[in-house]
Amino acid sequence: MTANPEIFGTPRNTATISYGDLAELLATIFRHAGASPAVASLLAANCAGCERDGATSHGVFRIPGYLASIASGWVDARAEPRIESAEGAVVRVDAMNGFAQPALELVTPILIEKAANDGIALLSIRNSHHFSALWPDVEPLAEAGLLALTMVNSFACTVPFNGHSPVFGTNPIAFAAPRADAPPLVADLATSAMANGDVQIAFREGRSLPPGHGVDSAGRPTTDPAAVLNGGALLPFGGYKGSTISMMIEIFGAALTGGKFSFEVDWSTHSGAQTPHTGQVLIVISPDFGRRDSSFGRRVNGLVEQLRMSGVSRLPGDRRQVTRRRSLRDGIVMPLQQLEDLRRRADGV
Amino acid sequence: MTANPEIFGTPRNTATISYGDLAELLATIFRHAGASPAVASLLAANCAGCERDGATSHGVFRIPGYLASIASGWVDARAEPRIESAEGAVVRVDAMNGFAQPALELVTPILIEKAANDGIALLSIRNSHHFSALWPDVEPLAEAGLLALTMVNSFACTVPFNGHSPVFGTNPIAFAAPRADAPPLVADLATSAMANGDVQIAFREGRSLPPGHGVDSAGRPTTDPAAVLNGGALLPFGGYKGSTISMMIEIFGAALTGGKFSFEVDWSTHSGAQTPHTGQVLIVISPDFGRRDSSFGRRVNGLVEQLRMSGVSRLPGDRRQVTRRRSLRDGIVMPLQQLEDLRRRADGV
């Protein structure tokens, strides 16, 4: 894992760009980097969507990492995912050493059909790279009326509770639940105490990490993001319990899919590689299947209302929704220099 | 929630009893309390199993709570669960205001068949009471070769992150993964900072709680278990992230099943009621479905080995396995007075 603080300088002036223009710009950059048009479009839409929603740790900030990984030959940005089996309620896909998103895109219609017919469906992706947030994978499924849960393991950067060396990745889990007459409730959380992207941003911005989030290369607690990035490691969130959930994500993301465990990811032969090469699992549920009523969306609203009444002012995804509406209305605000860098890259300069 | 410290005194002498004899004793007690023979046998085997495995917070310690709940008319210990639908890969069961375990027992053969045919199956239980640990629900499924995940919500006793009043239950999640040539890997964790049973045991034993685990009736942090039990509340584990997982469990346990949210459980009209009346969800996966090889169990072993090499000396379920072997060999060790109390109850004294 290498941060790329040299690419983007300190913001002085800002500029705005529409979501569509940013996605087009990024697609051009991905194509220049060797991605197939289909993969370039998908990654660009995903990355521009993160930037649009204020999820900057998975937005344009990630472009150098994507490009370095592609350039290193570690990930195949021209890969065409292959369906290995689609029996019963299970779809198994080999991402062919490409990104996970094209695999998900390929089988989403099958998943939706299976969930409609059987009530539940499982998507298992192996031989895949995931370098973005997880919420973009589940939100569209919830917008299609499905309850969706996904887990992905990454690369060994998190020391298990009571262990002394990294075994787990940041191992995020995300879920999205449809609501009645409202955007879905969407949550996405790393099971490490913080996300790698946030460590990289803290490093770039010269900020310390909160205590209890990381260790240095000797396993000693540290608040220095550079020490975590240079041979150190993260800790799981929530001690023993968070560590147990991270272990579950290794089992679902790797043992179940046939992908690599986080500790098996070895990119030492590919200088610049940054995209974890593992697996991903999605469970998709038709929430009112087998019931006489179709109350699920209203029931989720009831929970949301109770949480608001309890004083919870911000639910998972709230900030993204607000930022998305503002970005779609006023354009995405970015540091001018960052946007100019992107334009130079797109022009092949 | 009421602790029952008056039932069992401080252990002075101990006695041993076999698992089979303890289960029989408890079944007699449940039958005397009005449970049907089928429900009595299931609850007794479950509770004796917890005691056998050293999971004492869900063992014999819970008997007074079970009996008070049954006596109050809050839960129907003679209920016969009813299958509402079993289409596709989904089984929906109405537990008929009885315990969840008879519902699970009833449909386990169907679940196993569906998982074999479709690769994944969903069990949704509503109108059910769950007063035990969750690991006994998933361990037998993993012993049958299935990857199993379950979630159950409970009753409002946990304040969401950034909230000021209880919304969530202790909301446990459990999973079990089959291993090759070894007992399954089984984990069970409350998403509250601690389990209610452990608060009750701390109260009984006069111990303080660790800081950050609970609040008193005014919402102030406290380490006094009595303050938590008497109008106070627990906190989620792991701050914002643990709170988000607890929210997910409300959605799966209640919105998906048609059961009550934890904050909707109102037992104020049933003095002595202690069993949360909500819902439970189980997802059961045939882990090698749709694959050419059957590597899942060996892959889980590989993860376990890596965790041991990283210095993790105790994996989830390890302690239960050790205690179980000892109990099956030497008998279950219990305080003599506790065993005498049980025998008096069984004799109807």
Side-chain angles (χ1 to χ4, degrees), chain A residues 85 87 89 92 118 162-165 190 192 237 241 255-256 259 261 263-264 287 289-291 296 299 306 310-311, chain B residues 85 87 89 92 118 162-165 175 190 192 237 241 255-256 259 261 263-264 287 289-291 296 299 306 310-311:
Chain A
S85 66
E87 294 153 48
R92 287 189 178 270
D118 294 328
N162 273 340
H164 50 59
S165 58
S192 52
F237 92 98
K241 295 184 181 195
L256 179 60
F261 287 122
F263 66 84
E264 294 172 328
F289 189 91
R291 294 166 81 170
F296 182 81
R299 292 289 286 156
Q306 190 72 19
S310 164
Chain B
S85 66
E87 294 154 46
R92 288 190 178 271
D118 294 328
N162 273 340
H164 50 59
S165 57
F175 65 93
S192 53
F237 92 100
K241 295 185 181 196
L256 179 60
F261 287 121
F263 66 82
E264 293 172 329
F289 188 90
R291 295 168 80 170
F296 182 82
R299 293 289 286 156
Q306 190 71 19
S310 164

Side-chain angles (χ1 to χ4, degrees), chain A residues 284-304:
Chain A
V284 175
I285 297 169
S286 183
D288 291 314
F289 189 91
R291 294 166 81 170
R292 284 194 211 93
D293 62 358
S294 54
S295 61
F296 182 81
R298 290 192 306 277
R299 292 289 286 156
V300 176
N301 285 353
L303 177 62
V304 166

Side-chain angles (χ1 to χ4, degrees), chain A residues 82-85 90-93 124 256-257, chain B residues 287-291:
Chain A
R82 206 151 59 184
I83 297 174
E84 298 188 294
S85 66
V90 175
V91 189
R92 287 189 178 270
V93 186
S124 159
L256 179 60
T257 64
Chain B
D288 292 314
F289 188 90
R291 295 168 80 170

Side-chain angles (χ1 to χ4, degrees), chain B residues 198 299 324:
Chain B
D198 290 326
R299 293 289 286 156
R324 182 182 305 176

Side-chain angles (χ1 to χ4, degrees), chain A residues 84-85 87-90 92 117-122 147-149 151 159-168 173 175 177 185 187-195 237-242 244-245 247-248 250-252 254-261 263-264 283 285-292 295-296 299-300 302-303 306-317, chain B residues 84-85 87-90 92 117-122 147-149 151 159-168 173 175 177 185 187-195 237-242 244-245 247-248 250-252 254-261 263-264 283 285-292 295-296 299-300 302-303 306-317:
Chain A
E84 298 188 294
S85 66
E87 294 153 48
V90 175
R92 287 189 178 270
N117 290 338
D118 294 328
I120 186 168
L122 175 77
L147 174 61
L149 174 68
M151 304 179 227
V159 177
F161 187 77
N162 273 340
H164 50 59
S165 58
V167 176
F168 303 142
I173 179 171
F175 66 93
L185 185 60
D188 179 357
L189 56 105
T191 53
S192 52
M194 67 191 301
F237 92 98
Y240 173 75
K241 295 184 181 195
T244 301
I245 291 177
M247 184 184 77
M248 177 180 80
E250 292 291 337
I251 291 171
F252 276 84
L256 179 60
T257 64
K260 284 186 165 60
F261 287 122
F263 66 84
E264 294 172 328
I283 294 171
I285 297 169
S286 183
D288 291 314
F289 189 91
R291 294 166 81 170
R292 284 194 211 93
S295 61
F296 182 81
R299 292 289 286 156
V300 176
L303 177 62
Q306 190 72 19
L307 286 166
R308 303 265 190 229
M309 286 198 315
S310 164
V312 178
S313 55
R314 211 178 84 202
L315 286 170
Chain B
E84 297 188 294
S85 66
E87 294 154 46
V90 175
R92 288 190 178 271
N117 290 338
D118 294 328
I120 186 169
L122 175 76
L147 174 60
L149 174 68
M151 304 179 228
V159 177
F161 186 76
N162 273 340
H164 50 59
S165 57
V167 175
F168 303 143
I173 180 171
F175 65 93
L185 184 60
D188 179 357
L189 55 106
T191 53
S192 53
M194 67 191 300
F237 92 100
Y240 173 75
K241 295 185 181 196
T244 300
I245 291 177
M247 184 184 76
M248 177 180 81
E250 291 291 337
I251 291 170
F252 275 84
L256 179 60
T257 63
K260 283 185 165 60
F261 287 121
F263 66 82
E264 293 172 329
I283 294 171
I285 297 169
S286 183
D288 292 314
F289 188 90
R291 295 168 80 170
R292 281 192 214 92
S295 59
F296 182 82
R299 293 289 286 156
V300 176
L303 177 62
Q306 190 71 19
L307 286 166
R308 304 263 190 230
M309 287 197 314
S310 164
V312 177
S313 55
R314 209 177 87 202
L315 285 169

